[in-house]
């Protein structure tokens, strides 16, 4: 059992990326989902507490200021901690470019979790509050909600690009070093 808020968004003609829903849960001790699959990406932002995620027999211990991603059609189990159950917000999305965006952000099994700095965590919390507060009416269009989703993902990307977790920058740096050493010989 859990206390939950959920916003569903109408299907749009967007093909690149589509925000399907978002929500917020204050989980009770040992509340769980699964084992089960989802047909879309589901990104959780842990606001407080802790819990665990199990994917392909790999267990991830997750706590405040961490993100965990469930990929489409991936068998998962996740559960709130008994002593300090998590509270999290989430966004569900899909679209033709969603796999590309997740790859660029460094997500993909077995890399399904990321830690956030306090600054980025606070910015993401603000964006999640905006999404969760939106009522499904004609005053907030899909451009607005998908724009917030992209901004939220860009905040995650800003942190990852500035950290040592972003593999593309390492490869470029290694290539530059090797290239420059070649001409020093």
């Amino acid at each position: 059992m859990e206390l939950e808020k959920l916003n569903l968004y109408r299907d749009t003609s967007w093909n690149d990326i589509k925000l399907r829903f978002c929500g917020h849960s204050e989980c009770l001790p040992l509340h769980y989902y699964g084992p089960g699959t989802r047909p879309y990406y589901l990104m959780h932002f842990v606001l407080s507490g802790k819990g665990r995620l199990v994917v392909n027999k790999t267990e991830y211990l997750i706590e405040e200021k961490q993100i965990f991603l469930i990929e489409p059609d991936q068998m998962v189990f996740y559960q709130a901690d008994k002593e300090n159950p998590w509270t999290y917000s989430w966004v569900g999305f899909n679209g033709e470019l969603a796999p590309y965006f997740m790859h660029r952000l460094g997500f993909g099994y077995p890399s399904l979790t990321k830690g956030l700095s306090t600054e980025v965590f606070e910015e993401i919390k603000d964006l999640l509050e905006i999404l969760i507060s939106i009522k499904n009416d004609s005053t907030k269009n899909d451009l607005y909600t998908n724009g917030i989703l992209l901004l939220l993902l860009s905040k995650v990307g800003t942190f990852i690009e500035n950290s040592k977790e972003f593999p593309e920058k390492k490869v470029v740096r290694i290539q530059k070093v090797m290239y420059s050493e070649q001409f020093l010989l």
Side-chain angles (χ1 to χ4, degrees), residues 65-84:
K65 296 183 190 172
Q66 285 189 296
I67 301 169
F68 67 95
L69 180 71
I70 296 170
E71 297 177 301
D73 304 317
Q74 185 175 57
M75 185 65 66
V76 298
F77 173 86
Y78 51 100
Q79 182 175 43
D81 186 69
K82 182 179 181 178
E83 304 299 323
N84 187 12

Side-chain angles (χ1 to χ4, degrees), residues 128-175:
L128 289 165
E129 286 177 21
I130 291 168
L131 280 177
I132 292 166
S133 70
I134 294 171
K135 301 295 178 223
N136 293 327
D137 61 27
S138 60
T139 63
K140 301 295 183 198
N141 62 31
D142 53 349
L143 180 61
Y144 182 75
T145 55
N146 281 317
I148 294 173
L149 171 64
L150 289 171
L151 184 56
L152 187 140
L153 294 176
S154 76
K155 293 294 180 185
V156 171
T158 300
F159 173 71
I160 292 170
E161 286 178 2
N162 291 331
S163 74
K164 294 179 181 173
E165 296 180 45
F166 203 73
E168 291 174 12
K169 285 195 174 187
K170 282 184 181 177
V171 170
V172 170
R173 191 174 60 246
I174 290 168
Q175 287 174 341

Side-chain angles (χ1 to χ4, degrees), residues 22-129:
C22 69
H24 177 83
S25 290
E26 295 176 23
C27 296
L28 296 175
L30 299 177
H31 173 77
Y32 67 92
Y33 169 82
T37 63
R38 312 280 191 166
Y40 40 76
Y41 287 95
L42 187 58
M43 187 175 284
H44 290 75
F45 301 86
V46 179
L47 306 174
S48 65
K50 57 186 178 176
R52 67 188 184 111
L53 167 69
V54 181
V55 181
N56 295 332
K57 299 181 183 177
T58 302
E59 183 173 85
Y60 304 85
L61 300 177
I62 301 165
E63 56 190 32
E64 181 179 356
K65 296 183 190 172
Q66 285 189 296
I67 301 169
F68 67 95
L69 180 71
I70 296 170
E71 297 177 301
D73 304 317
Q74 185 175 57
M75 185 65 66
V76 298
F77 173 86
Y78 51 100
Q79 182 175 43
D81 186 69
K82 182 179 181 178
E83 304 299 323
N84 187 12
W86 51 22
T87 294
Y88 52 62
S89 293
W90 70 87
V91 292
F93 56 94
N94 61 5
E96 292 174 11
L97 291 179
Y100 169 75
F101 289 147
M102 293 304 94
H103 173 75
R104 286 289 311 268
L105 294 175
F107 286 102
Y109 182 79
S111 181
L112 300 175
T113 66
K114 304 285 180 198
L116 297 173
S117 69
T118 299
E119 179 184 336
V120 171
F121 178 71
E122 292 301 322
E123 291 176 14
I124 286 174
K125 277 178 30 179
D126 291 343
L127 292 169
L128 289 165
E129 286 177 21

